[in-house]
Amino acid sequence: MADQPISEATVGRLPDYLRTLVELAGDDVAGVSSKHLATQVGVNSATLRRDLSALGITGTRGVGYDVKYLLFEISRVLGVHQEWRVAVVGAGNLGQALVNYDGLTQRGFPIVVLFDNDESKVGSIMGGIVVHHVDHMAELVSELGVNVGIIATAAEAAQSIADAFVEAKIVSLLDFTAGPLAVPDHVVVRRVDLATELQILSFYQQRDTAVSGGTGVPLGA
Amino acid sequence: MADQPISEATVGRLPDYLRTLVELAGDDVAGVSSKHLATQVGVNSATLRRDLSALGITGTRGVGYDVKYLLFEISRVLGVHQEWRVAVVGAGNLGQALVNYDGLTQRGFPIVVLFDNDESKVGSIMGGIVVHHVDHMAELVSELGVNVGIIATAAEAAQSIADAFVEAKIVSLLDFTAGPLAVPDHVVVRRVDLATELQILSFYQQRDTAVSGGTGVPLGA
DNA sequence: TAGATTGTTAATCGATTAACAATC
DNA sequence: TAGATTGTTAATCGATTAACAATC
């Protein structure tokens, strides 16, 4: 029943805990110690106990945690018991990949509508979803009960789409474009930028394979 | 010429710096202060100066930093001057979206080969790339000079694909599947998990819209 | 010289983790 | 009671940032 605020780091670990717990439950494991679960997930057991404590989730001293209870509580905290209806803007390759990707629906995030500004795409069906014109975002988002928006357009359009989502009272956005988005404080944006991920990878590779020391060899401009 | 180690946090900010610097250079801005650049990027100016210092990048006291020099040095650190050749495993929707996505090539990460274990896909061309059978990974990865691998298969196949990449001497992997991958220490894996991103978003939304306080209302199991 | 801005020291903050009293 | 494990305190670690001497 602790009342520490829940840190971003803690929230980020919850899906990992959930994933491992689902496996344990599948194997009919009833109880688990913080040490065992932490090892499975790859975190320190004190960190795990602290995370659970922050969520108000308790175990039994000398015994451990009940797997089903953990599963239920973490699911509840993450909102897994609720269905989150997703709108995707951008019916290009990425948008199409998203609507064709079962994983999102399976984990409780069905894509219910796809928007594009290209008239030739409007009206067509992709992954079982009808493509609507972006001009109709406000009405449809409200009508369909959308509560999460995904921006999968070209970078130039991102800000105006974000504005439209905000206008439509969406407060959770996942952005696949690179630039920073200006949104009101109550709107949460998470960014997925594949090229940046690859750049970070290449940084490590370059550093680890570099002939060590020195200011570095200048390459062709 | 500082010799602090470069933190993961610093590396993660480099692409943001780069992006903003590209804009400044485009506007023909020649010099910039840490305060100005930091404001643009949305970080603290001391953090920015510390990051640059850690990379051995210097400015001029009383003046600021030279935009072109910053651009060149950060690019070099990130390996932007090198072409990173990417192999994607999994020619499903995600794999297809990746090969059709120009952004990666534009930022120096051309996908040069696509693998799948589905015989009916092998030999076909997607986004201009020939699909090869996963059994030929080792030879082709070496032949084509691949140095980054992307795992875009179903979750069950991820570990064996990772093993195959490791076998083929690839040390940088981007993984779109959920589970944890076991790889040797010298291999760097970054994970992109869309459902987890959405779960984190829904956590914040649930928390912020919740009727405050209390142990929470139990929902139907 | 006066003004500006870097590069770094020292303070602060927050997150992780060892350690252990509480207690099943 | 003896053994195990939680829940939390206190120590540690690392990253951020204010502040300022160095210096252009």
Side-chain angles (χ1 to χ4, degrees):
Chain A
M1 218 168 288
D3 206 27
Q4 314 134 47
I6 299 171
S7 74
E8 176 125 1
T10 293
V11 177
R13 282 188 293 266
L14 297 183
D16 294 332
Y17 298 159
L18 201 54
R19 196 155 36 234
T20 304
L21 286 164
V22 167
E23 278 174 36
L24 289 175
D27 294 347
D28 276 326
V29 175
V32 68
S33 70
S34 62
K35 191 173 171 191
H36 182 79
L37 181 54
T39 305
Q40 292 271 313
V41 175
V43 301
N44 180 285
S45 68
T47 299
L48 171 60
R49 290 197 298 280
R50 169 145 296 202
D51 285 341
L52 296 179
S53 174
L55 301 174
I57 297 175
T58 58
T60 308
R61 286 167 137 105
V63 178
Y65 296 87
D66 181 82
V67 169
K68 282 208 182 109
Y69 166 69
L70 277 191
L71 205 45
F72 185 84
E73 288 299 319
I74 296 179
S75 296
R76 186 167 60 75
V77 170
L78 279 174
V80 172
H81 294 164
Q82 182 180 339
E83 190 176 79
W84 298 87
R85 298 165 72 82
V86 179
V88 173
V89 182
N93 290 303
L94 179 57
Q96 289 180 45
L98 290 171
V99 295
N100 281 301
Y101 175 45
D102 303 332
L104 294 184
T105 300
Q106 276 167 26
R107 283 176 65 183
F109 299 97
I111 295 171
V112 297
V113 61
L114 189 52
F115 294 103
D116 205 291
N117 65 355
D118 180 348
E119 294 287 0
S120 73
K121 284 178 179 165
V122 169
S124 65
I125 294 180
M126 297 178 177
I129 310 289
V130 178
V131 179
H132 288 274
H133 197 280
V134 283
D135 289 350
H136 300 136
M137 271 179 71
E139 320 133 47
L140 279 165
V141 157
S142 151
E143 228 168 74
L144 295 168
V146 167
N147 35 28
V148 181
I150 297 184
I151 303 175
T153 61
E156 304 80 62
Q159 184 63 59
S160 70
I161 297 300
D163 295 343
F165 269 129
V166 170
E167 180 83 12
K169 305 251 182 296
I170 299 299
V171 298
S172 302
L173 295 177
L174 188 61
D175 177 25
F176 281 91
T177 69
L181 292 182
V183 295
D185 281 347
H186 69 281
V187 175
V188 180
V189 177
R190 290 188 70 85
R191 168 158 304 124
V192 174
D193 180 0
L194 302 185
T196 292
E197 295 295 332
L198 290 171
Q199 272 181 349
I200 293 172
L201 279 176
S202 63
F203 165 80
Y204 287 115
Q205 182 167 334
Q206 174 155 284
R207 187 193 54 178
D208 296 345
T209 59
V211 190
S212 59
T215 358
V217 183
L219 303 174
Chain B
M1 218 168 286
D3 206 27
Q4 314 134 47
I6 300 170
S7 75
E8 176 126 2
T10 293
V11 177
R13 282 187 293 266
L14 297 183
D16 294 332
Y17 298 158
L18 201 53
R19 196 155 35 235
T20 305
L21 286 165
V22 168
E23 280 173 36
L24 290 175
D27 294 347
D28 275 325
V29 176
V32 67
S33 69
S34 62
K35 191 174 172 189
H36 182 80
L37 181 54
T39 305
Q40 291 272 312
V41 175
V43 302
N44 180 286
S45 68
T47 299
L48 172 59
R49 290 198 299 281
R50 170 144 297 204
D51 285 341
L52 296 179
S53 174
L55 301 174
I57 297 174
T58 58
T60 307
R61 286 165 136 106
V63 178
Y65 297 87
D66 182 82
V67 168
K68 283 209 180 107
Y69 166 68
L70 277 191
L71 205 45
F72 186 83
E73 287 301 317
I74 296 179
S75 296
R76 187 167 59 76
V77 170
L78 279 174
V80 171
H81 295 166
Q82 182 179 340
E83 189 177 80
W84 298 87
R85 298 166 72 82
V86 179
V88 173
V89 182
N93 290 304
L94 178 56
Q96 289 180 45
L98 290 171
V99 294
N100 281 301
Y101 175 45
D102 302 332
L104 295 184
T105 300
Q106 275 167 27
R107 284 177 62 183
F109 299 96
I111 294 171
V112 296
V113 60
L114 189 52
F115 294 103
D116 205 290
N117 65 355
D118 180 347
E119 294 287 0
S120 74
K121 285 178 178 163
V122 170
S124 65
I125 294 179
M126 296 176 176
I129 310 291
V130 178
V131 179
H132 288 273
H133 197 280
V134 283
D135 289 350
H136 300 138
M137 271 179 71
E139 319 133 46
L140 280 165
V141 157
S142 151
E143 228 169 73
L144 296 168
V146 167
N147 36 26
V148 181
I150 297 185
I151 303 175
T153 60
E156 304 79 61
Q159 184 62 59
S160 70
I161 297 301
D163 294 344
F165 269 129
V166 170
E167 180 82 12
K169 305 253 182 293
I170 298 298
V171 298
S172 301
L173 296 176
L174 188 63
D175 177 26
F176 281 91
T177 69
L181 290 184
V183 295
D185 281 347
H186 68 282
V187 176
V188 180
V189 178
R190 290 188 69 84
R191 169 159 301 126
V192 174
D193 180 0
L194 303 184
T196 293
E197 295 295 332
L198 291 171
Q199 272 182 348
I200 293 172
L201 279 176
S202 63
F203 165 81
Y204 287 115
Q205 182 166 334
Q206 173 155 284
R207 187 193 55 178
D208 296 345
T209 58
V211 190
S212 59
T215 358
V217 184
L219 304 173

